[in-house]
mmCIF file of all heavy atoms in Angstrom:
data_model
loop_
_atom_site.group_PDB
_atom_site.id
_atom_site.type_symbol
_atom_site.label_atom_id
_atom_site.label_comp_id
_atom_site.label_asym_id
_atom_site.label_seq_id
_atom_site.Cartn_x
_atom_site.Cartn_y
_atom_site.Cartn_z
ATOM 1 N N GLN A 15 -0.893 -10.330 6.109
ATOM 2 C CA GLN A 15 -1.962 -10.383 5.122
ATOM 3 C C GLN A 15 -2.054 -9.047 4.313
ATOM 4 O O GLN A 15 -3.156 -8.527 4.057
ATOM 5 C CB GLN A 15 -3.337 -10.664 5.779
ATOM 6 C CG GLN A 15 -3.319 -12.041 6.464
ATOM 7 C CD GLN A 15 -4.631 -12.306 7.212
ATOM 8 O OE1 GLN A 15 -5.312 -11.371 7.657
ATOM 9 N NE2 GLN A 15 -4.958 -13.549 7.347
ATOM 10 N N ALA A 16 -0.888 -8.568 3.908
ATOM 11 C CA ALA A 16 -0.837 -7.279 3.197
ATOM 12 C C ALA A 16 -1.318 -7.379 1.762
ATOM 13 O O ALA A 16 -1.350 -8.451 1.215
ATOM 14 C CB ALA A 16 0.576 -6.723 3.242
ATOM 15 N N SER A 17 -1.552 -6.214 1.207
ATOM 16 C CA SER A 17 -1.842 -6.067 -0.243
ATOM 17 C C SER A 17 -0.495 -5.771 -0.911
ATOM 18 O O SER A 17 0.094 -4.774 -0.541
ATOM 19 C CB SER A 17 -2.866 -4.963 -0.534
ATOM 20 O OG SER A 17 -4.058 -5.180 0.157
ATOM 21 N N CYS A 18 -0.145 -6.547 -1.905
ATOM 22 C CA CYS A 18 1.128 -6.276 -2.625
ATOM 23 C C CYS A 18 0.737 -5.331 -3.795
ATOM 24 O O CYS A 18 -0.185 -5.572 -4.538
ATOM 25 C CB CYS A 18 1.723 -7.560 -3.221
ATOM 26 S SG CYS A 18 2.051 -8.769 -1.912
ATOM 27 N N CYS A 19 1.483 -4.221 -3.919
ATOM 28 C CA CYS A 19 1.224 -3.231 -4.955
ATOM 29 C C CYS A 19 1.668 -3.640 -6.310
ATOM 30 O O CYS A 19 2.704 -4.405 -6.394
ATOM 31 C CB CYS A 19 1.730 -1.832 -4.585
ATOM 32 S SG CYS A 19 1.055 -1.236 -3.003
ATOM 33 N N ALA A 20 1.109 -3.143 -7.330
ATOM 34 C CA ALA A 20 1.463 -3.487 -8.727
ATOM 35 C C ALA A 20 2.852 -3.097 -9.168
ATOM 36 O O ALA A 20 3.428 -3.682 -10.091
ATOM 37 C CB ALA A 20 0.432 -2.914 -9.722
ATOM 38 N N ASP A 21 3.415 -2.088 -8.458
ATOM 39 C CA ASP A 21 4.846 -1.686 -8.786
ATOM 40 C C ASP A 21 5.851 -2.694 -8.312
ATOM 41 O O ASP A 21 7.038 -2.550 -8.617
ATOM 42 C CB ASP A 21 5.102 -0.272 -8.273
ATOM 43 C CG ASP A 21 5.143 -0.223 -6.767
ATOM 44 O OD1 ASP A 21 4.823 -1.207 -6.074
ATOM 45 O OD2 ASP A 21 5.545 0.869 -6.203
ATOM 46 N N LYS A 22 5.437 -3.682 -7.583
ATOM 47 C CA LYS A 22 6.348 -4.732 -7.040
ATOM 48 C C LYS A 22 7.411 -4.199 -6.160
ATOM 49 O O LYS A 22 8.518 -4.769 -6.094
ATOM 50 C CB LYS A 22 6.890 -5.581 -8.173
ATOM 51 C CG LYS A 22 5.765 -6.384 -8.937
ATOM 52 C CD LYS A 22 6.303 -7.320 -9.912
ATOM 53 C CE LYS A 22 5.177 -8.130 -10.550
ATOM 54 N NZ LYS A 22 5.640 -9.004 -11.637
ATOM 55 N N VAL A 23 7.192 -3.065 -5.504
ATOM 56 C CA VAL A 23 8.105 -2.409 -4.584
ATOM 57 C C VAL A 23 7.433 -2.136 -3.226
ATOM 58 O O VAL A 23 7.973 -2.439 -2.195
ATOM 59 C CB VAL A 23 8.672 -1.083 -5.172
ATOM 60 C CG1 VAL A 23 9.557 -0.393 -4.162
ATOM 61 C CG2 VAL A 23 9.461 -1.303 -6.438
ATOM 62 N N HIS A 24 6.192 -1.685 -3.338
ATOM 63 C CA HIS A 24 5.474 -1.275 -2.157
ATOM 64 C C HIS A 24 4.347 -2.240 -1.788
ATOM 65 O O HIS A 24 3.948 -3.144 -2.569
ATOM 66 C CB HIS A 24 4.856 0.154 -2.387
ATOM 67 C CG HIS A 24 5.905 1.239 -2.603
ATOM 68 N ND1 HIS A 24 6.291 1.613 -3.889
ATOM 69 C CD2 HIS A 24 6.639 1.874 -1.695
ATOM 70 C CE1 HIS A 24 7.216 2.508 -3.674
ATOM 71 N NE2 HIS A 24 7.444 2.706 -2.430
ATOM 72 N N CYS A 25 3.793 -2.073 -0.572
ATOM 73 C CA CYS A 25 2.643 -2.856 -0.134
ATOM 74 C C CYS A 25 1.861 -2.042 0.832
ATOM 75 O O CYS A 25 2.272 -1.013 1.359
ATOM 76 C CB CYS A 25 3.178 -4.185 0.542
ATOM 77 S SG CYS A 25 4.289 -3.883 1.919
ATOM 78 N N CYS A 26 0.640 -2.513 1.075
ATOM 79 C CA CYS A 26 -0.264 -1.824 1.896
ATOM 80 C C CYS A 26 -0.903 -2.729 2.926
ATOM 81 O O CYS A 26 -0.991 -3.942 2.690
ATOM 82 C CB CYS A 26 -1.434 -1.208 1.057
ATOM 83 S SG CYS A 26 -0.844 0.306 0.150
ATOM 84 N N PRO A 27 -1.383 -2.167 4.085
ATOM 85 C CA PRO A 27 -2.011 -3.061 5.063
ATOM 86 C C PRO A 27 -3.213 -3.835 4.540
ATOM 87 O O PRO A 27 -3.837 -3.446 3.536
ATOM 88 C CB PRO A 27 -2.412 -2.100 6.194
ATOM 89 C CG PRO A 27 -1.620 -0.891 5.990
ATOM 90 C CD PRO A 27 -1.350 -0.735 4.546
ATOM 91 N N HIS A 28 -3.558 -4.895 5.207
ATOM 92 C CA HIS A 28 -4.685 -5.787 4.890
ATOM 93 C C HIS A 28 -5.964 -4.895 4.696
ATOM 94 O O HIS A 28 -6.213 -3.961 5.472
ATOM 95 C CB HIS A 28 -4.905 -6.806 5.952
ATOM 96 C CG HIS A 28 -6.041 -7.750 5.657
ATOM 97 N ND1 HIS A 28 -5.995 -8.615 4.669
ATOM 98 C CD2 HIS A 28 -7.230 -7.997 6.360
ATOM 99 C CE1 HIS A 28 -7.112 -9.333 4.644
ATOM 100 N NE2 HIS A 28 -7.886 -8.968 5.669
ATOM 101 N N ALA A 29 -6.751 -5.203 3.664
ATOM 102 C CA ALA A 29 -8.036 -4.468 3.387
ATOM 103 C C ALA A 29 -7.892 -3.040 3.013
ATOM 104 O O ALA A 29 -8.814 -2.246 3.144
ATOM 105 C CB ALA A 29 -9.009 -4.613 4.593
ATOM 106 N N THR A 30 -6.692 -2.655 2.493
ATOM 107 C CA THR A 30 -6.526 -1.341 1.886
ATOM 108 C C THR A 30 -6.103 -1.491 0.452
ATOM 109 O O THR A 30 -5.761 -2.604 0.017
ATOM 110 C CB THR A 30 -5.465 -0.438 2.650
ATOM 111 O OG1 THR A 30 -4.174 -1.081 2.459
ATOM 112 C CG2 THR A 30 -5.756 -0.355 4.133
ATOM 113 N N VAL A 31 -6.197 -0.438 -0.313
ATOM 114 C CA VAL A 31 -5.891 -0.441 -1.771
ATOM 115 C C VAL A 31 -4.695 0.443 -2.007
ATOM 116 O O VAL A 31 -4.568 1.511 -1.484
ATOM 117 C CB VAL A 31 -7.103 0.019 -2.593
ATOM 118 C CG1 VAL A 31 -6.829 0.118 -4.048
ATOM 119 C CG2 VAL A 31 -8.364 -0.839 -2.260
ATOM 120 N N CYS A 32 -3.769 -0.030 -2.907
ATOM 121 C CA CYS A 32 -2.581 0.734 -3.274
ATOM 122 C C CYS A 32 -2.989 1.857 -4.217
ATOM 123 O O CYS A 32 -3.629 1.650 -5.229
ATOM 124 C CB CYS A 32 -1.543 -0.181 -4.011
ATOM 125 S SG CYS A 32 -1.014 -1.585 -3.102
ATOM 126 N N ASP A 33 -2.577 3.080 -3.851
ATOM 127 C CA ASP A 33 -2.757 4.222 -4.772
ATOM 128 C C ASP A 33 -1.328 4.701 -5.123
ATOM 129 O O ASP A 33 -0.695 5.481 -4.367
ATOM 130 C CB ASP A 33 -3.563 5.368 -4.043
ATOM 131 C CG ASP A 33 -3.760 6.561 -4.980
ATOM 132 O OD1 ASP A 33 -3.086 6.656 -6.016
ATOM 133 O OD2 ASP A 33 -4.546 7.414 -4.701
ATOM 134 N N LEU A 34 -0.777 4.114 -6.220
ATOM 135 C CA LEU A 34 0.622 4.356 -6.545
ATOM 136 C C LEU A 34 0.836 5.803 -6.921
ATOM 137 O O LEU A 34 1.943 6.400 -6.694
ATOM 138 C CB LEU A 34 1.073 3.428 -7.701
ATOM 139 C CG LEU A 34 1.113 1.950 -7.319
ATOM 140 C CD1 LEU A 34 1.324 1.080 -8.543
ATOM 141 C CD2 LEU A 34 2.158 1.659 -6.284
ATOM 142 N N ALA A 35 -0.156 6.485 -7.571
ATOM 143 C CA ALA A 35 -0.006 7.912 -8.005
ATOM 144 C C ALA A 35 0.283 8.771 -6.782
ATOM 145 O O ALA A 35 1.110 9.709 -6.876
ATOM 146 C CB ALA A 35 -1.244 8.346 -8.666
ATOM 147 N N ARG A 36 -0.394 8.541 -5.641
ATOM 148 C CA ARG A 36 -0.239 9.400 -4.508
ATOM 149 C C ARG A 36 0.693 8.718 -3.414
ATOM 150 O O ARG A 36 0.945 9.382 -2.410
ATOM 151 C CB ARG A 36 -1.595 9.752 -3.883
ATOM 152 C CG ARG A 36 -2.357 10.660 -4.819
ATOM 153 C CD ARG A 36 -3.587 11.265 -4.114
ATOM 154 N NE ARG A 36 -4.528 10.203 -3.838
ATOM 155 C CZ ARG A 36 -5.543 10.319 -2.914
ATOM 156 N NH1 ARG A 36 -5.613 11.407 -2.236
ATOM 157 N NH2 ARG A 36 -6.374 9.311 -2.753
ATOM 158 N N GLY A 37 1.097 7.487 -3.682
ATOM 159 C CA GLY A 37 1.974 6.797 -2.742
ATOM 160 C C GLY A 37 1.282 6.573 -1.400
ATOM 161 O O GLY A 37 1.937 6.651 -0.336
ATOM 162 N N ARG A 38 -0.003 6.243 -1.425
ATOM 163 C CA ARG A 38 -0.781 6.022 -0.203
ATOM 164 C C ARG A 38 -1.532 4.699 -0.309
ATOM 165 O O ARG A 38 -1.687 4.130 -1.377
ATOM 166 C CB ARG A 38 -1.817 7.140 -0.032
ATOM 167 C CG ARG A 38 -1.305 8.574 -0.080
ATOM 168 C CD ARG A 38 -0.491 9.031 1.101
ATOM 169 N NE ARG A 38 -1.310 9.132 2.280
ATOM 170 C CZ ARG A 38 -0.875 9.305 3.500
ATOM 171 N NH1 ARG A 38 0.471 9.350 3.682
ATOM 172 N NH2 ARG A 38 -1.610 9.432 4.544
ATOM 173 N N CYS A 39 -2.022 4.228 0.842
ATOM 174 C CA CYS A 39 -2.846 3.070 0.936
ATOM 175 C C CYS A 39 -4.254 3.595 1.302
ATOM 176 O O CYS A 39 -4.402 4.275 2.350
ATOM 177 C CB CYS A 39 -2.371 2.124 2.010
ATOM 178 S SG CYS A 39 -0.626 1.583 1.728
ATOM 179 N N LEU A 40 -5.242 3.305 0.456
ATOM 180 C CA LEU A 40 -6.565 3.836 0.655
ATOM 181 C C LEU A 40 -7.497 2.878 1.395
ATOM 182 O O LEU A 40 -7.484 1.703 1.075
ATOM 183 C CB LEU A 40 -7.187 4.184 -0.717
ATOM 184 C CG LEU A 40 -6.357 5.113 -1.650
ATOM 185 C CD1 LEU A 40 -7.170 5.271 -2.967
ATOM 186 C CD2 LEU A 40 -6.035 6.408 -1.000
ATOM 187 N N SER A 41 -8.190 3.430 2.379
ATOM 188 C CA SER A 41 -9.226 2.626 3.034
ATOM 189 C C SER A 41 -10.368 3.561 3.463
ATOM 190 O O SER A 41 -10.191 4.747 3.539
ATOM 191 C CB SER A 41 -8.685 1.881 4.255
ATOM 192 O OG SER A 41 -8.578 2.776 5.373
ATOM 193 N N SER A 42 -11.516 2.960 3.802
ATOM 194 C CA SER A 42 -12.662 3.828 4.262
ATOM 195 C C SER A 42 -12.324 4.547 5.580
ATOM 196 O O SER A 42 -12.925 5.570 5.860
ATOM 197 C CB SER A 42 -13.926 2.937 4.401
ATOM 198 O OG SER A 42 -13.620 1.879 5.271
ATOM 199 N N ALA A 43 -11.401 3.982 6.380
ATOM 200 C CA ALA A 43 -11.046 4.613 7.615
ATOM 201 C C ALA A 43 -9.986 5.778 7.429
ATOM 202 O O ALA A 43 -9.669 6.420 8.429
ATOM 203 C CB ALA A 43 -10.476 3.566 8.555
ATOM 204 N N GLY A 44 -9.480 5.932 6.257
ATOM 205 C CA GLY A 44 -8.508 6.974 5.963
ATOM 206 C C GLY A 44 -7.260 6.431 5.283
ATOM 207 O O GLY A 44 -7.113 5.194 5.197
ATOM 208 N N ASP A 45 -6.440 7.338 4.770
ATOM 209 C CA ASP A 45 -5.264 6.929 3.982
ATOM 210 C C ASP A 45 -4.107 6.730 4.947
ATOM 211 O O ASP A 45 -3.941 7.454 5.945
ATOM 212 C CB ASP A 45 -4.887 8.014 2.981
ATOM 213 C CG ASP A 45 -5.964 8.204 1.999
ATOM 214 O OD1 ASP A 45 -6.978 7.449 1.992
ATOM 215 O OD2 ASP A 45 -5.811 9.154 1.121
ATOM 216 N N VAL A 46 -3.205 5.808 4.590
ATOM 217 C CA VAL A 46 -1.961 5.543 5.386
ATOM 218 C C VAL A 46 -0.805 5.474 4.397
ATOM 219 O O VAL A 46 -0.998 5.155 3.211
ATOM 220 C CB VAL A 46 -2.069 4.258 6.210
ATOM 221 C CG1 VAL A 46 -3.056 4.411 7.395
ATOM 222 C CG2 VAL A 46 -2.340 3.065 5.398
ATOM 223 N N PRO A 47 0.434 5.749 4.844
ATOM 224 C CA PRO A 47 1.644 5.628 3.925
ATOM 225 C C PRO A 47 1.837 4.177 3.492
ATOM 226 O O PRO A 47 1.518 3.235 4.203
ATOM 227 C CB PRO A 47 2.757 6.134 4.770
ATOM 228 C CG PRO A 47 2.246 6.691 6.005
ATOM 229 C CD PRO A 47 0.821 6.184 6.162
ATOM 230 N N MET A 48 2.426 3.993 2.346
ATOM 231 C CA MET A 48 2.768 2.662 1.858
ATOM 232 C C MET A 48 3.957 2.103 2.587
ATOM 233 O O MET A 48 4.822 2.836 3.008
ATOM 234 C CB MET A 48 3.135 2.767 0.339
ATOM 235 C CG MET A 48 1.932 2.983 -0.545
ATOM 236 S SD MET A 48 2.469 2.953 -2.257
ATOM 237 C CE MET A 48 0.939 2.607 -3.065
ATOM 238 N N GLY A 49 4.009 0.805 2.620
ATOM 239 C CA GLY A 49 5.201 0.110 3.164
ATOM 240 C C GLY A 49 6.112 -0.290 2.009
ATOM 241 O O GLY A 49 5.635 -0.313 0.862
ATOM 242 N N THR A 50 7.308 -0.649 2.311
ATOM 243 C CA THR A 50 8.264 -1.154 1.321
ATOM 244 C C THR A 50 8.703 -2.542 1.658
ATOM 245 O O THR A 50 9.018 -2.798 2.851
ATOM 246 C CB THR A 50 9.539 -0.204 1.268
ATOM 247 O OG1 THR A 50 9.055 1.100 1.060
ATOM 248 C CG2 THR A 50 10.439 -0.589 0.117
ATOM 249 N N ALA A 51 8.709 -3.429 0.667
ATOM 250 C CA ALA A 51 9.119 -4.807 0.911
ATOM 251 C C ALA A 51 10.599 -4.916 1.083
ATOM 252 O O ALA A 51 11.348 -4.144 0.502
ATOM 253 C CB ALA A 51 8.667 -5.673 -0.240
ATOM 254 N N PHE A 52 11.059 -5.908 1.922
ATOM 255 C CA PHE A 52 12.477 -6.147 2.057
ATOM 256 C C PHE A 52 12.690 -7.584 1.530
ATOM 257 O O PHE A 52 11.760 -8.332 1.481
ATOM 258 C CB PHE A 52 12.915 -5.955 3.515
ATOM 259 C CG PHE A 52 12.158 -6.784 4.551
ATOM 260 C CD1 PHE A 52 12.566 -8.076 4.862
ATOM 261 C CD2 PHE A 52 11.003 -6.277 5.173
ATOM 262 C CE1 PHE A 52 11.881 -8.810 5.798
ATOM 263 C CE2 PHE A 52 10.288 -7.043 6.065
ATOM 264 C CZ PHE A 52 10.737 -8.268 6.406
ATOM 265 N N PRO A 53 13.942 -7.897 1.256
ATOM 266 C CA PRO A 53 14.175 -9.235 0.599
ATOM 267 C C PRO A 53 13.759 -10.404 1.524
ATOM 268 O O PRO A 53 14.001 -10.357 2.719
ATOM 269 C CB PRO A 53 15.685 -9.270 0.373
ATOM 270 C CG PRO A 53 16.134 -7.833 0.417
ATOM 271 C CD PRO A 53 15.181 -7.176 1.330
#
């Protein structure tokens, strides 16, 4: 149930927001690194 990022390359865990400028996934519990989609 991930969030797909607008760059169509990265994704973030469920209930987090993609911050493409910083390459992070934002949530109230803290930032986490972005994931990358595979085919």
